[in-house]
Amino acid sequence: MKLNDKVIVITGAANGIGKALAYRFAQDAPKHLILADIDRDSLDAIAAELPMAQAIACDIGTEEGVQQLVNTTLEQCGEIDLFCGNAGILRLGGVNTSEADFQKVWDINVQSHIWAARAALPSMLERGSGYFLITASAAGLLTQLGSLSYSVSKHAALSIAEWLAVTHGHQGIKVSALCPQAVESNMTAGSDGSVAGIDGMLPAETVANCVVEGLDKEEFLILPHPNVKQYFQNKANDYQRWLGGMQKLQRQFADLMPENVLDGGQELK
């Protein structure tokens, strides 16, 4: 997957990984960069610095918002070569997380990928080519201490990526799942000493470089933190031992988590 002269959509482009992807992709001279987020001011500032970029403010947590994004891109650019489903939120909390909070996480972290595929796949299949990059997080391969909704939603996002790759690979559709651990962003601000940064918190720019390398090789799993692959292998090789290790890690970091985490309280975007 070469980015030169391609039409690329990035959701969650106002901050963190999405913003870094926009600047990194721009170095490879794509034809169009469509930047999507609910933060219009930040999008406009980024687009002003990238000649090929256009800001589209929309709510990725609704099917209407995703459909609008895809339709506008197709109307203005004619095609979508790469759709980067990067928007996501983290809601701290366990089984007592409210239905409203869980639904918000589910819509943005899971449904948005289904809606994007529903809207973008027909034109991709007609052309016989298209690429989806889904930010699934290492939590999708492992788990997320302190957040049931994030862990479940990222496992589901990874499952969507797998299904798209298996079902439509023979039709020219490529898929990559981006699965980093902690990355510098608004979501992880102030969490350096917690479990989020146990293996180091990467700058978003480093992750963006890894994405470009992974897309070039058309790798399904893009792992900016290389140790995630070993953790995933450990999990598969001895599930019981892996669970024991995660339980130990939970006990180790329990005192550092906000008091209301297990009762379902805090949102990070």
Side-chain angles (χ1 to χ4, degrees), residues 11-267:
T11 69
N15 176 259
I17 294 174
K19 179 179 178 180
L21 289 177
Y23 282 101
R24 177 60 187 86
F25 287 174
Q27 296 177 25
D28 286 12
K31 184 187 297 183
H32 296 289
L33 275 178
I34 307 300
L35 310 181
D37 205 293
I38 58 173
D39 185 352
R40 183 61 193 245
D41 291 340
S42 296
L43 282 184
D44 286 341
I46 297 168
E49 296 183 6
L50 303 175
M52 74 292 291
Q54 176 184 347
I56 297 181
C58 60
D59 184 0
I60 299 301
T62 68
E63 184 168 12
E64 294 77 13
V66 177
Q67 187 74 60
Q68 171 203 341
L69 171 62
V70 171
N71 287 347
T72 300
T73 303
L74 291 176
E75 289 169 4
Q76 296 184 2
C77 306
E79 60 189 20
I80 296 175
D81 296 296
L82 172 61
F83 191 100
C84 302
N86 172 72
I89 63 170
L90 167 65
R91 206 73 146 196
L92 297 179
V95 296
N96 293 322
T97 300
S98 71
E99 289 298 313
D101 287 349
F102 214 112
Q103 190 64 54
K104 184 176 182 180
V105 171
W106 187 260
D107 286 345
I108 295 175
N109 292 5
V110 181
Q111 287 298 131
S112 66
H113 302 303
I114 296 174
W115 296 328
R118 184 178 295 166
L121 259 177
S123 62
M124 290 181 175
L125 291 173
E126 185 176 346
R127 291 184 1 250
S129 66
Y131 210 122
F132 290 96
L133 172 71
I134 292 178
T135 301
S137 168
L141 291 167
L142 305 169
T143 193
Q144 178 66 47
L145 298 186
S147 178
L148 173 62
S149 59
Y150 192 79
S151 180
V152 170
S153 67
K154 290 302 184 177
H155 274 71
L158 180 62
S159 182
I160 293 168
E162 291 174 351
W163 190 91
L164 288 173
V166 169
T167 304
H168 297 291
H170 71 287
Q171 296 171 297
I173 305 302
K174 307 290 185 179
V175 184
S176 289
L178 173 60
C179 298
Q181 289 178 288
V183 180
E184 293 175 0
S185 67
N186 290 345
M187 182 186 290
T188 57
S191 60
D192 305 60
S194 72
V195 68
I198 192 170
D199 288 319
M201 191 171 297
L202 293 180
E205 294 75 16
T206 300
V207 175
N209 285 328
C210 289
V211 167
V212 172
E213 294 175 5
L215 292 175
D216 184 65
K217 299 174 184 177
E218 297 186 349
E219 295 176 329
F220 178 76
L221 281 181
I222 299 179
L223 304 175
H225 293 80
N227 48 1
V228 170
K229 183 176 182 180
Q230 185 61 57
Y231 295 155
F232 188 45
Q233 290 173 337
N234 292 345
K235 179 180 179 180
N237 291 336
D238 193 336
Y239 218 137
Q240 194 66 36
R241 183 176 181 181
W242 177 82
L243 285 170
M246 292 302 294
Q247 289 168 346
K248 180 179 180 181
L249 197 63
Q250 169 70 28
R251 293 192 297 272
Q252 179 182 344
F253 282 90
D255 293 339
L256 298 177
M257 295 181 185
E259 292 182 1
N260 63 348
V261 161
L262 295 182
D263 294 326
Q266 186 174 342
E267 178 185 3

